[in-house]
């Protein structure tokens, strides 16, 4: 008996530490069944573990999430040679365990699907956004309009003598109104809508945090038994509830559109455009209602979390680096010199402001892990033969914090994006939107929002920390990182 147990242990260890890893790039030794998930720091947004592994194993290595190997690519040139030069091969996606079949009802949405369905719906989303002005003047007008409401909100508080303000909800609602208009055709201006949004936003924040807990990953791998197990059952219900509340909101919007829709009118938003496409394509198409609900869930979350949190961190970094904030004020005074609205036409005259925004994006490192891709065919990377369907993680954090490209990477230094004449300097490794065919779908909208909101906000207001101590720069972990709550003092500059 003792011999059998010993043999069993030997086989498990041999399989786990040698056999299953034999063809993959070397990486940290995984525990049986758990893999390396316990090595991640779940208290803080974790790119440090990736950094440590990169230092030890190089630009390509393997870690294990439970029994699944993740091949991590963490060098800019390697990402170019793979994701960009051989884009199609790296365009697959994996979803967390059984999330798609168990929660979404199948392979639906835009972010966690692949193949022809993903191509068709990604193309459709980009086309619709272009038609509604993404990257053009029409979109600028929409953003400027929402900025007006943002400033009005701040000034109402100022007029009540509230010089110390919590900017987080104000920024969140501004960004959410922009994406909501694109998707559903209305912004959150009325009190009832604001209250509704506030509830949904709380759900999204929690949903994004729970998504990265190891217990949730486990629950999504074993969704049939998770609801009956301690700890896992809370993760399971917490995560699924978030999905239900957000998709319920999307369903309400679809019903409202169907009720007041005229087939002759030009589409006014994504839902209109989708319903029209579904009619044109007929019953056999992939333009089904369940696909619409899931695409909306994906884009609604991706379109607000990311941009709002980046803008909030621009305030946090400005308060922590007052000398950089003063440089920004100096440029705004010199180039703009009044409280007039800054527009896209001013962009080339504001190199420091642009560099400031780039550095915020680099340092905030919004998706510390990035989303995993999947190989659509067998490939050879740096001599390793990797089979089709293997998970590939383009680890953009390791590139954004690469000491060679960004010396002193943990410090906020906007000047790194400027040459000795103070003019813009391109750094190829600046890839916050990732690379290749899965590159962020909302990149041009996000860039426009970041520039217009950040430039105008700092032009209007002088900021100081509450009680002289700047807010924490620590990040609440999640798929996208979130800020810790803070308040700051605001004064009008004009
Ligand atoms: C500061 C703002 C943003 C950042 C840093 C950001 C970053 C990213 C990253 C890193 C990815 C994953 C790329 C990969 O798989 O390699 C991604 C995907 C995606 N983003 Fe963004 N994003 C931002 C804003 C937006 C906005 C405003 C939208 C919506 C309009 C959006 C929609 C999406 C979608 C739908 C995907 C999935 C694309 C696909 O799988 O084909 N993002 N984004």
């Amino acid at each position: 008996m003792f011999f059998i147990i010993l043999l069993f242990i030997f086989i498990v260890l041999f399989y786990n530490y040698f056999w299953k890893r034999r063809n993959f790039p070397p990486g940290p030794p995984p525990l049986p069944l758990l893999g390396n998930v316990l090595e991640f720091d779940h208290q803080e947004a974790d790119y440090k573990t990736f950094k440590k592994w990169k230092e030890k194993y190089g630009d390509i290595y393997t870690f294990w999430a439970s029994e699944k190997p993740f091949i991590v690519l963490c060098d800019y040139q390697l990402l170019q040679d793979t994701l960009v030069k051989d884009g199609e091969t790296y365009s697959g996606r994996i979803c967390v365990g059984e999330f798609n079949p168990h929660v979404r009802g199948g392979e639906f949405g835009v972010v966690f699907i692949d193949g022809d369905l993903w191509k068709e719906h990604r193309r459709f989303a980009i086309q619709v956004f272009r038609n509604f002005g993404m990257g053009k003047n029409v979109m600028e007008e929409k953003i400027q309009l929402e900025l007006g409401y943002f400033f009005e909100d701040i000034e109402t508080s100022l007029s009540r003598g509230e010089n110390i303000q919590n900017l987080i909800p104000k920024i969140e609602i501004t960004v959410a109104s922009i994406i909501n208009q694109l998707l559903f055709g209305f912004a959150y201006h009325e009190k009832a809508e604001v209250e509704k949004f506030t509830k949904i936003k709380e759900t999204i924040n929690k949903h994004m945090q729970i998504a990265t807990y190891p217990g949730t990953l486990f629950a999504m791998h074993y969704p049939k038994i998770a609801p009956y197990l301690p700890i896992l059952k809370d993760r399971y219900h917490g995560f699924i509830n978030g999905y239900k509340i957000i998709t319920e909101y999307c369903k309400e919007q679809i019903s409202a559109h169907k009720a007041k829709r005229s087939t002759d009118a030009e589409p006014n938003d994504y839902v209109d455009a989708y319903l029209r496409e579904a009619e044109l394509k007929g019953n056999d198409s992939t333009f089904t209602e369940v696909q619409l609900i899931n695409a909306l869930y994906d884009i609604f979350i991706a379109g607000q979390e990311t941009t709002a949190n980046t803008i909030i961190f621009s305030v946090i970094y400005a308060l922590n680096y007052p000398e950089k904030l003063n440089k920004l004020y100096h440029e705004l005074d010199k180039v703009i010199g009044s409280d007039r609205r800054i527009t896209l036409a001013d962009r080339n005259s504001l190199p420091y402001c642009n560099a400031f925004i780039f550095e915020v994006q680099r340092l905030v490192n919004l998706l510390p892990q990035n989303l995993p891709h999947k190989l659509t065919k067998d490939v050879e990377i740096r001599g390793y033969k990797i089979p089709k369907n293997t998970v590939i993680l383009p680890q953009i954090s390791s590139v954004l914090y690469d000491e060679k490209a960004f010396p002193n990477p943990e410090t906020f230094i906007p000047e790194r994006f400027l040459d000795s004449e103070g003019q813009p300097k391109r750094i190829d490794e600046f890839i916050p939107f990732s690379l290749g065919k899965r590159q962020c779908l909302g990149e041009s909208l996000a860039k426009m929002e970041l520039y217009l909101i950040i430039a105008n906000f700092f032009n209007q207001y002088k900021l100081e920390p509450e009680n002289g101590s700047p807010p924490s720069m620590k990040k609440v972990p999640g798929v996208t990182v979130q800020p810790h709550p803070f308040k700051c003092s605001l004064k009008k500059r004009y």
Side-chain angles (χ1 to χ4, degrees):
M1 185 64 184
F2 178 69
F3 177 74
I4 293 174
I5 293 173
L6 217 59
L7 183 67
F8 177 73
I9 292 174
F10 173 78
I11 291 171
V12 168
L13 294 181
F14 177 78
Y15 169 77
N16 186 67
Y17 289 108
F18 174 71
W19 190 251
K20 74 177 185 187
R21 299 166 74 204
R22 68 197 183 284
N23 292 325
F24 293 119
L31 289 172
L33 292 178
L34 290 173
N36 302 100
V37 287
L38 298 183
E39 290 182 56
F40 288 107
D41 180 351
H42 294 282
Q43 303 307 313
E44 252 205 83
D46 194 6
Y47 60 88
K48 291 200 178 90
T49 307
F50 287 112
K51 186 173 176 228
K52 184 182 77 187
W53 286 341
K54 181 180 176 177
E55 279 163 10
K56 188 151 184 202
Y57 302 104
D59 298 339
I60 174 168
Y61 58 86
T62 311
F63 80 88
W64 292 74
S66 187
E67 282 301 295
K68 214 176 215 353
F70 275 53
I71 312 293
V72 183
L73 309 180
C74 49
D75 168 70
Y76 174 73
Q77 196 49 51
L78 183 57
L79 289 175
Q80 278 287 338
D81 294 343
T82 51
L83 264 68
V84 178
K85 291 196 182 138
D86 190 10
E88 188 66 32
T89 305
Y90 293 83
S91 68
R93 186 71 98 200
I94 57 147
C95 188
V96 190
E98 298 294 303
F99 182 70
N100 277 355
H102 188 78
V103 183
R104 292 191 192 245
E107 300 299 313
F108 299 114
V110 194
V111 181
F112 291 105
I113 55 166
D114 55 15
D116 289 343
L117 183 68
W118 162 69
K119 280 184 196 154
E120 187 177 19
H121 285 270
R122 180 176 163 111
R123 212 180 302 124
F124 175 75
I126 291 175
Q127 189 55 52
V128 170
F129 283 174
R130 272 202 201 119
N131 292 348
F132 292 137
M134 188 144 102
K136 297 192 214 135
N137 292 352
V138 195
M139 186 53 68
E140 174 168 11
E141 277 167 30
K142 286 185 181 152
I143 298 172
Q144 295 282 12
L145 188 74
E146 292 314 313
L147 259 174
Y149 284 98
F150 176 38
F151 294 157
E152 209 179 290
D153 196 4
I154 293 178
E155 263 136 58
T156 309
S157 303
L158 285 177
S159 68
R160 287 200 295 253
E162 294 164 11
N163 294 338
I164 307 283
Q165 295 193 20
N166 174 8
L167 289 169
I168 295 178
K170 295 180 164 85
I171 294 172
E172 285 176 345
I173 208 138
T174 306
V175 172
S177 283
I178 296 166
I179 191 70
N180 211 63
Q181 281 208 23
L182 269 172
L183 296 178
F184 306 119
F186 72 94
Y188 301 107
H189 297 156
E190 304 301 324
K191 195 165 171 261
E193 283 156 0
V194 171
E195 279 167 7
K196 195 163 195 183
F197 167 75
T198 310
K199 281 205 188 114
I200 292 232
K201 182 64 198 161
E202 277 167 20
T203 306
I204 293 179
N205 283 354
K206 232 162 135 196
H207 192 54
M208 296 299 271
Q209 284 171 26
I210 298 179
T212 54
Y213 294 167
T216 312
L217 301 185
F218 229 70
M220 284 302 115
H221 274 97
Y222 306 102
K224 292 213 171 88
I225 52 166
Y228 307 101
L229 300 174
I231 303 178
L232 288 195
K233 77 172 180 218
D234 291 346
R235 298 284 181 260
Y236 174 90
H237 290 299
F239 190 58
I240 289 192
N241 252 352
Y243 173 85
K244 280 192 186 143
I245 294 172
I246 299 161
T247 48
E248 217 33 68
Y249 173 75
C250 298
K251 283 182 200 165
E252 269 173 37
Q253 305 309 324
I254 297 170
S255 304
H257 276 70
K258 281 185 172 168
K260 63 171 195 277
R261 194 168 159 259
S262 142
T263 39
D264 308 330
E266 277 301 301
N268 186 39
D269 53 42
Y270 190 88
V271 177
D272 270 352
Y274 188 100
L275 294 174
R276 173 191 270 206
E277 191 75 6
E279 252 164 35
L280 288 174
K281 290 215 145 94
N283 285 344
D284 296 336
S285 85
T286 61
F287 281 73
T288 55
E289 183 150 326
V290 59
Q291 166 60 17
L292 173 57
I293 294 164
N294 282 287
L296 290 171
Y297 161 85
D298 282 346
I299 303 174
F300 184 60
I301 294 180
Q304 48 174 305
E305 269 295 290
T306 49
T307 317
N309 290 351
T310 307
I311 296 169
I312 295 163
F313 271 98
S314 78
V315 176
I316 294 177
Y317 294 143
L319 290 165
N320 276 276
Y321 290 89
E323 71 287 4
K324 310 295 183 198
L325 178 59
N326 283 336
K327 278 188 166 183
L328 177 60
Y329 284 146
H330 180 71
E331 182 181 79
L332 292 168
D333 289 343
K334 207 172 79 190
V335 180
I336 309 295
S338 75
D339 66 350
R340 79 160 169 86
R341 273 302 167 80
I342 298 174
T343 67
L344 288 181
D346 296 308
R347 200 171 194 159
N348 292 342
S349 326
L350 295 169
Y352 193 83
C353 181
N354 287 310
F356 188 95
I357 296 167
F358 289 174
E359 183 63 350
V360 169
Q361 278 206 273
R362 188 196 67 76
L363 193 62
V364 72
N365 184 17
L366 206 75
L367 284 90
Q369 304 208 3
N370 197 7
L371 304 179
H373 296 211
K374 190 177 73 184
L375 289 176
T376 59
K377 63 175 170 58
D378 298 352
V379 281
E380 189 169 322
I381 315 175
R382 299 249 172 111
Y384 297 101
K385 289 193 168 59
I386 320 259
K388 182 177 170 177
N389 290 333
T390 303
V391 180
I392 301 287
L393 190 65
Q395 228 291 303
I396 53 178
S397 302
S398 304
V399 180
L400 293 173
Y401 276 56
D402 180 349
E403 306 228 0
K404 280 188 252 118
F406 305 103
N408 214 350
E410 317 239 344
T411 311
F412 184 70
I413 311 175
E415 292 77 7
R416 60 172 102 244
F417 289 100
L418 298 171
D419 66 15
S420 54
E421 310 283 298
Q423 290 309 304
K425 186 170 92 188
R426 188 186 151 84
I427 305 179
D428 288 337
E429 287 82 354
F430 178 61
I431 48 165
F433 297 100
S434 193
L435 292 170
K437 291 204 184 288
R438 284 281 180 174
Q439 187 162 345
C440 175
L441 183 152
E443 179 173 350
S444 53
L445 172 64
K447 282 178 172 165
M448 207 188 238
E449 289 180 274
L450 292 180
Y451 163 73
L452 289 171
I453 298 176
I454 292 177
N456 276 298
F457 172 72
F458 285 105
N459 192 44
Q460 295 293 331
Y461 301 104
K462 184 163 170 49
L463 265 72
E464 272 167 20
E466 186 190 17
N467 305 325
S469 54
S472 166
M473 290 192 282
K474 284 199 167 160
K475 302 162 191 172
V476 179
V479 180
T480 53
V481 297
Q482 294 166 16
H484 286 275
F486 71 99
K487 287 185 178 170
C488 64
S489 144
L490 288 181
K491 276 190 207 120
K492 274 177 80 80
R493 293 206 325 125
Y494 292 97

